[in-house]
Amino acid sequence: MKYPLTPDVKPEFCTTGTFMRLPSSRENAKLAVVGLPFDTAASFRVGARFAPQAVRQASMTLFPYHPIQKVFPFDECNAIDIGDVSVIPHNIHRSYELIESAMADLMKAGIIPIGIGGDHSVTLANLRAAAKIHGPVALLHFDSHTDTWDTYYEEKYWHGSPFIRAYEEGLLQSDKVFQIGIRGTLNHPGDIDSSTDLGYTVITTPQLKERGIADVVKEVKKTIGDTPCFLSFDIDFVDPSCAPGTGTLEVGGLNSFETLELIRSLHGFNFIGFDLVEVLPPYDPTQITSLLAATIIHDFASLVALKLRAEQEMPVENSQKN
């Protein structure tokens, strides 16, 4: 049987509970969807623990073929959905251990994970897993906030600090970290300096709009090259008119079309993992945020499929050169 099951094989409302009704296991899997339902490190709204099931439900309306990238991503990657990590809702450090273990096991097996959060604190565990397998990695971080604030009410581990903790733990190649889409009001004039002082490159939404997607992606590709790269996407990167179901809203972001255009331009990177975080179903009554999140995950999978195609073609090219 081919996966994912399409609506002309089984109606959209007949769900198996997995992303696009993917199986939980199959031979030669190269891609895995993983639920990361931890949200008690959030500073304002909570509810992102329900995102994995909501995004999976929204994925039922998607079809398997990507017409822009011209791939059947989930079929070509033998994709699976392994369900949710059994996090501890009141204990961030034990949850980190569980998430890191699950993600590292997948990466060690040569499977690229796509994590569905959860608040943005889960990314620290994902980066710990990535660094354990690949060493310090490059990072593409799409967000309206830098998440490099040191503490919140004297707590060092929360959804506003994963990328300063990742720096301190040596998980990232700082000169190959891009934080894109930053916008909104700040607590202090120097808030963005908390990222640039770490060596990260910050590209605000106004800068992205002024320069254009092609110019920004060209810079990112030139800098990161073939370095193993993790992509973390906070749904509040998108303007709240298109993604209202999130925890800390910031107006003035890209719309859904521009967001997909940006993601679809990210071919050619050596992606080793992804996560999509901060979807809050309780604040998403029409499910447009969950649907956008599911579509973005479809696009992540398409980038992986393109990467696998390129790797399959590489030996042929090398043999011709030799």
Side-chain angles (χ1 to χ4, degrees):
M1 182 179 293
K2 293 187 67 174
Y3 291 97
L5 301 179
T6 59
D8 58 348
V9 173
K10 177 179 282 193
E12 295 97 321
F13 48 83
C14 296
T15 175
T16 62
T18 63
F19 191 90
M20 293 186 71
R21 295 180 287 208
L22 291 170
S24 59
S25 65
R26 56 174 158 167
E27 292 184 4
N28 198 32
K30 297 297 182 183
L31 180 70
V33 176
V34 189
L36 309 174
F38 182 85
D39 69 355
T40 42
S43 57
F44 185 42
R45 293 174 172 174
V46 293
R49 68 182 63 184
F50 303 113
Q53 58 185 282
V55 174
R56 288 179 174 116
Q57 181 65 45
S59 76
M60 294 302 103
T61 63
L62 301 178
F63 290 90
Y65 183 67
H66 196 297
I68 306 299
Q69 307 290 26
K70 295 180 171 53
V71 291
F72 285 94
F74 298 96
D75 184 48
E76 294 183 34
C77 297
N78 291 320
I80 57 177
D81 183 337
I82 66 168
D84 292 353
V85 176
S86 296
V87 300
I88 313 299
H90 58 279
N91 192 315
I92 191 171
H93 295 293
R94 287 180 63 194
S95 295
Y96 276 161
E97 292 171 0
L98 293 164
I99 294 169
E100 178 186 349
S101 176
M103 299 294 269
D105 285 348
L106 289 168
M107 293 179 183
K108 187 176 181 179
I111 300 172
I112 296 175
I114 301 178
I116 310 176
D119 67 48
H120 219 153
S121 68
V122 302
T123 302
L124 180 59
N126 297 337
L127 292 174
R128 286 174 176 173
K132 179 185 291 184
I133 305 303
H134 300 281
V137 297
L139 174 70
L140 276 178
H141 170 210
F142 296 93
D143 203 327
S144 63
H145 311 100
T146 61
D147 292 353
T148 49
W149 292 289
D150 188 17
T151 62
Y152 187 68
Y153 292 101
E154 300 182 358
E155 293 292 329
K156 295 178 74 70
Y157 296 90
W158 61 298
H159 76 157
S161 68
F163 302 112
I164 188 171
R165 300 286 88 85
Y167 170 85
E168 293 169 347
E169 295 180 21
L171 309 179
L172 299 171
Q173 297 187 33
S174 297
D175 60 339
K176 296 182 179 182
V177 174
F178 285 83
Q179 298 185 302
I180 301 172
I182 310 304
R183 64 184 188 277
T185 55
L186 304 172
N187 278 321
H188 305 285
D191 274 359
I192 289 180
D193 295 341
S194 63
S195 283
T196 57
D197 288 347
L198 303 178
Y200 300 169
T201 299
V202 176
I203 299 174
T204 66
T205 297
Q207 290 169 338
L208 176 61
K209 294 286 285 185
E210 181 179 355
R211 291 178 56 182
I213 290 172
D215 185 59
V216 169
V217 171
K218 181 179 179 180
E219 177 192 353
V220 174
K221 283 185 177 179
K222 181 179 179 180
T223 302
I224 292 179
D226 196 45
T227 304
C229 183
F230 191 90
L231 191 158
S232 184
F233 192 96
D234 188 323
I235 201 69
D236 72 23
F237 169 88
V238 187
D239 190 82
S241 63
C242 301
T246 190
T248 311
L249 299 155
E250 296 286 357
V251 300
L254 269 63
N255 62 33
S256 58
F257 177 84
E258 293 167 324
T259 298
L260 295 176
E261 183 182 21
L262 172 57
I263 294 169
R264 289 166 183 173
S265 70
L266 299 177
H267 46 81
F269 288 86
N270 182 17
F271 287 120
I272 48 82
F274 304 78
D275 64 29
L276 190 150
V277 299
E278 298 286 352
V279 173
L280 271 67
Y283 296 90
D284 189 34
T286 61
Q287 299 179 305
I288 62 171
T289 313
S290 294
L291 177 58
L292 177 58
T295 305
I296 290 171
I297 290 171
H298 195 295
D299 271 282
F300 289 166
S302 297
L303 294 174
V304 176
L306 291 173
K307 176 177 181 284
L308 292 176
R309 280 189 181 181
E311 290 173 350
Q312 291 166 0
E313 294 169 0
M314 200 175 298
V316 176
E317 294 174 358
N318 289 341
S319 64
Q320 289 175 345
K321 291 178 181 178
N322 294 332

